Each structure stands twice: as structure tokens, then as C-alpha cells.
Amino acid sequence: MVTKKNLILRERLLYFLFLNNTIIWPITFKVGSLVIKPYYFALFCIFLIWIMHVKNILIPAAFLLIISFASLLISTLSFSLGGCEDMHNKFLLTLPVFLVSSILAWSIGRESSPRIWVGLIKISQLIIIVLFFEFLLEYLFPQFFLDTARYRDAWKLSGFFTEPSHVAFSVFPCIVVILSSLERKVQIFGLIALFMMVFLSHSSTLFILILGWMLFILFLRIKSTSILRIIVVTLIAAFIFLIPNSFFMPTVDRVVGILSDIDSSTNISSLVFLQGLEDAWINLYRTYGFGLGLNMMGCSPLPKSGARELLEGLNLISLNAEDGSFLGAKIVSEFGIFGILFFSYLVFIFFKLIKKYKFSTELLTKQMYLIQVTLIYIIILIFFTRTSGYFGGPFFMLVAIIGSNYSNFNLKNNDSGIRKEK
């Protein structure tokens, strides 16, 4: 029988994981030449709490060893094929952290009940409040936010994030979680938060995510047409009151640059995106489908592509070379055919969650499925729009959702979230 104390700890682990991958990860402190990231300290604390209360450590430990061995084997094979001539130490350093984080997120998602997942709505509200407090600090004390001065000059706030697009892909998942609530007051809070994000931290990434989410609402046929109308009004107001060149036109230029011929594209964001696509294909081809290995994208020799040649002419040959501009390119580059299979599996999970959502009759579980299916859709969209690697954004929340699909909670007769003993 799961005790109340253990349930509270599990609850906090999911919430801490969500906080760590949304609002905490961009925070950085510099002490001389030393760079300190609270993200890794928080991750270590989550791991300690989890390992102290996990029932059977042998299964995740064995799984971790198997995956570690397989990753080392594949990466060694990739190295021998000449995919990378350097950055091997980066692979060896980040592999343990990545694998432990993945097992941790999967286990936390699996152990979290519907009530805990629905509790993410309140945590998302807290994150939004913290974000706007960061905006206020940046506005009042710009001397402490020198790295984002060029965005602030264009009336774009970033808080502790390095740029507005990072705000969008990190915090927009919180917005959609809030708008998944069944309470009208909470929905209004989410709409106000979305409205303020559009005006205070507008970016083409945010614009694309909003449009993608609107299409998702229509696809899922959620009975929230009033919300859709308000969002449309918000966007129209943004187009009217904001300078078009700082919000709408950059998005259009980026899309046009991606769809046009590479040689005629002059938009740097478009070129970087196209570079990521080309790198993914070239890396997949030159490693015979095995991939470069974890965090090896950007290693020497860099793939020769049309987009990279144009960026080299602008002295930007290494721009986003290591993250591919979007995580989809990075995953395919580093995991090869296994990365493609991973995305295929995500699509399977997505439709599986839609089926569960539509056929669920219990209110709590139905709301949990709505949160999960919304998150997995938005995260996949983020993966092909703009991201900042595995440890900067919603990647591990996606792993937690996958873990939740392997939970053995009896949702029909056990809606309180307490695991039944077999």
C-alpha cells in the first residue's frame, strides 16, 4: 500500500521535473570563469528523492545498463565510420546524465496518478507568475540583463531566458496545460497569460505554436469554440498594435525562406533551419543510419550543405551547428534510424492518448488524457520549430508522458491515485 507521505513525494517529483524543464533550466550564474546552472543541482535532488523511495531499483538499473551499453556500442561504431573526429569527451560526459534523466522522467511519469497530472495546472499557473516577475525585473533593472538588450530594444522581454523564442518553447506548454482546465476562472487566467506573452515576449516561435495549437483544438473537436474566438481576437489585436516587422513579418520571412530555393534565401533563421534539415539527412547517410551519437551533432567534419555555405559567407558557419536549430534534426542526426523510429512511436502514443481521451468517462482521467495529449502534440511541434537541446526545454516531460502510458494504476476503480496492491 502506498502511504500518503510517498504519494506526496511522487507528486512533488513530477512537479519539480516540470518546473526544472520550463522555468529553471535557463537560469545561469557566473562566478568568475565558472558557470553554475541550478538545473543540474535540481535534477540531482530529484534523483536522490526518487532513488530513496523507488520500490524496485533493479529493473530501472538493469534497463539503464542495457541502454548504456547499447549507446556506447552504437556510438563506437559511429566513431569508427568516421562520422566524428572530435567531441568524444562530450558524448562520454553527457551520456550518463541523459540516460539517468530519461529513466528518472519515465519512472516519475509512470508513478504519477491522474490527480497528480491534473495538478500540473496549478504548477503551470505558478510558472507563469514567476515568468512575468522575471519580465518585471528585466524591465526595472535592465543593467542585469545585458545579454538580452537587443531584444529589449525591439520591445521583447526574455527574463532569465536568452531570447524570446526560448521563452516560447519553454513556457507555452504551461499555457496549454492551463487552458486544458475545466474551470472557467483558470481558463481566463490562461488567456490573459497568453495575451501578455504575445505583447511582452513576441516571437515567430510563439506565433507558430499558437497557430499549431489552434489547429489541434479544431482537430480534437474540443468544445471550447469561445476560447478559439478569444485567441483569434488576441492575435488580431497583436497584429494591429504591435509593429508588424517585429512579430508577424519575421514569421512570414522565415517560412518563405524555408520554402524558397536555398540560394535565394537571405533570412538567417531560415538558413539555420534548412541547415538543420540538411545536416540530419547528411549525418544519417554518412553514418549508414546509426547516427553520430548522443550530443555529437556539430562535430568535425561539419556536413557540407548549401545552407552552411551561405552561412559561412556571413561568418556564421558554426551557428546552431550543435543543436540543429530544432531538436528533430538533432535527434535524427545523433540517433539515426532509431531517432526516426522514436518519432514514429510518438505519433502512435499521440493517437493512443486521443482514443483514451475520447472514450474515457471519468472526469479526472479524461482531463489527465487531455493534458497529456495536448502536451505531446505541442512538444512534437516544438521539436520541429525551435529548441535548445535535451537539457533545455520539454524533452524529459515528453519522456514522463511516455512513462505514464505504462502505468499500472487502476484508473477505473482507483481514481484517487493510490496504487492497488496485486
Side-chain angles (χ1 to χ4, degrees):
M1 180 69 68
V2 173
T3 65
K4 184 177 180 181
K5 180 180 178 181
N6 284 341
L7 183 61
I8 292 173
L9 284 171
R10 281 210 312 266
E11 179 176 292
R12 290 175 178 173
L13 286 181
L14 182 68
Y15 298 161
F16 286 150
L17 184 71
F18 194 60
L19 285 164
N20 207 31
N21 288 276
T22 50
I23 202 71
I24 294 178
W25 77 264
I27 300 175
T28 302
F29 298 105
K30 293 182 180 179
V31 181
S33 59
L34 183 65
V35 178
I36 301 174
K37 289 185 70 69
Y39 170 87
Y40 294 105
F41 175 75
L43 187 64
F44 180 70
C45 292
I46 294 171
F47 174 73
L48 285 181
I49 297 172
W50 172 76
I51 205 169
M52 288 171 58
H53 294 88
V54 66
K55 267 190 171 183
N56 189 353
I57 192 65
L58 293 178
I59 295 176
F63 185 64
L64 183 63
L65 286 174
I66 293 172
I67 297 298
S68 299
F69 179 76
S71 299
L72 285 170
L73 187 63
I74 293 172
S75 295
T76 301
L77 179 60
S78 176
F79 297 157
S80 65
L81 292 173
C84 286
E85 297 175 355
D86 56 4
M87 293 175 59
H88 297 179
N89 289 336
K90 182 181 179 182
F91 163 77
L92 294 174
L93 287 172
T94 56
L95 177 64
V97 180
F98 176 81
L99 292 176
V100 170
S101 299
S102 298
I103 297 296
L104 181 63
W106 184 87
S107 179
I108 289 173
R110 182 177 179 272
E111 293 291 322
S112 298
S113 70
R115 183 179 63 82
I116 294 173
W117 276 98
V118 173
L120 285 178
I121 295 173
K122 291 184 177 179
I123 299 300
S124 296
Q125 290 177 281
L126 173 63
I127 291 170
I128 294 298
I129 293 172
V130 172
L131 175 67
F132 289 134
F133 180 71
E134 290 181 12
F135 286 170
L136 181 62
L137 288 178
E138 183 182 3
Y139 179 76
L140 295 176
F141 307 101
Q143 64 271 25
F144 297 110
F145 298 85
L146 298 177
D147 293 339
T148 56
R150 62 192 180 101
Y151 300 110
R152 198 161 48 251
D153 292 340
W155 298 95
K156 300 178 183 181
L157 297 176
S158 305
F160 291 134
F161 293 87
T162 54
E163 57 183 85
S165 64
H166 288 194
V167 178
F169 72 69
S170 297
V171 182
F172 189 75
C174 301
I175 296 289
V176 298
V177 167
I178 294 171
L179 293 175
S180 299
S181 173
L182 301 178
E183 297 181 29
R184 182 57 60 89
K185 291 182 179 179
V186 177
Q187 290 180 359
I188 292 173
F189 177 92
L191 289 170
I192 293 173
L194 178 59
F195 185 84
M196 293 181 67
M197 273 190 67
V198 168
F199 279 94
L200 298 177
S201 188
H202 43 280
S203 65
S204 59
T205 300
L206 179 60
F207 180 53
I208 292 170
L209 293 178
I210 292 174
L211 290 181
W213 182 63
M214 290 168 62
L215 293 174
F216 170 75
I217 291 177
L218 295 174
F219 171 76
L220 202 59
R221 296 181 181 177
I222 299 175
K223 296 179 180 179
S224 54
T225 54
S226 60
I227 290 179
L228 193 60
R229 291 194 203 103
I230 294 173
I231 293 173
V232 171
V233 171
T234 301
L235 288 172
I236 293 173
F239 298 155
I240 294 173
F241 292 106
L242 288 175
I243 301 173
N245 290 335
S246 67
F247 184 55
F248 181 63
M249 290 310 299
T251 306
V252 174
D253 291 341
R254 183 180 181 186
V255 173
V256 170
I258 291 171
L259 297 178
S260 63
D261 184 75
I262 290 179
D263 293 333
S264 63
S265 180
T266 57
N267 185 284
I268 293 178
S269 296
S270 302
L271 289 173
V272 171
F273 186 90
L274 290 169
Q275 175 185 264
L277 281 177
E278 292 178 331
D279 283 1
W281 168 249
I282 294 171
N283 288 328
L284 186 67
Y285 177 79
R286 68 174 178 169
T287 60
Y288 302 94
F290 287 100
L292 297 171
L294 177 69
N295 263 340
M296 296 299 290
M297 191 175 188
C299 66
S300 298
L302 289 172
K304 295 181 180 180
S305 63
R308 176 163 282 109
E309 288 180 3
L310 292 175
L311 288 171
E312 184 178 7
L314 300 171
N315 294 321
L316 298 172
I317 189 173
S318 299
L319 185 62
N320 291 103
E322 294 187 19
D323 61 27
S325 179
F326 59 100
L327 196 57
K330 184 176 176 68
I331 289 174
V332 174
S333 286
E334 296 178 353
F335 293 94
I337 190 67
F338 301 103
I340 296 174
L341 292 175
F342 172 71
F343 283 114
S344 301
Y345 177 69
L346 291 181
V347 173
F348 168 76
I349 292 292
F350 172 70
F351 285 105
K352 181 181 177 182
L353 285 171
I354 288 178
K355 184 178 179 180
K356 287 183 177 182
Y357 165 72
K358 290 188 173 181
F359 288 97
S360 178
T361 57
E362 203 281 322
L363 191 61
L364 188 66
T365 57
K366 192 176 185 71
Q367 188 167 14
M368 178 192 71
Y369 290 137
L370 177 58
I371 290 172
Q372 290 184 346
V373 74
T374 304
L375 276 176
I376 199 170
Y377 171 83
I378 290 298
I379 292 173
I380 292 174
L381 181 59
I382 288 171
F383 281 3
F384 289 92
T385 306
R386 182 78 172 91
T387 37
S388 184
Y390 306 107
F391 303 102
F395 178 81
F396 292 111
M397 280 307 299
L398 181 66
V399 177
I401 294 172
I402 294 173
S404 178
N405 276 267
Y406 293 91
S407 173
N408 60 352
F409 280 103
N410 188 329
L411 300 180
K412 183 176 180 180
N413 301 314
N414 192 28
D415 293 327
S416 63
I418 306 295
R419 186 187 296 276
K420 283 191 172 184
E421 296 291 338
K422 292 185 178 179

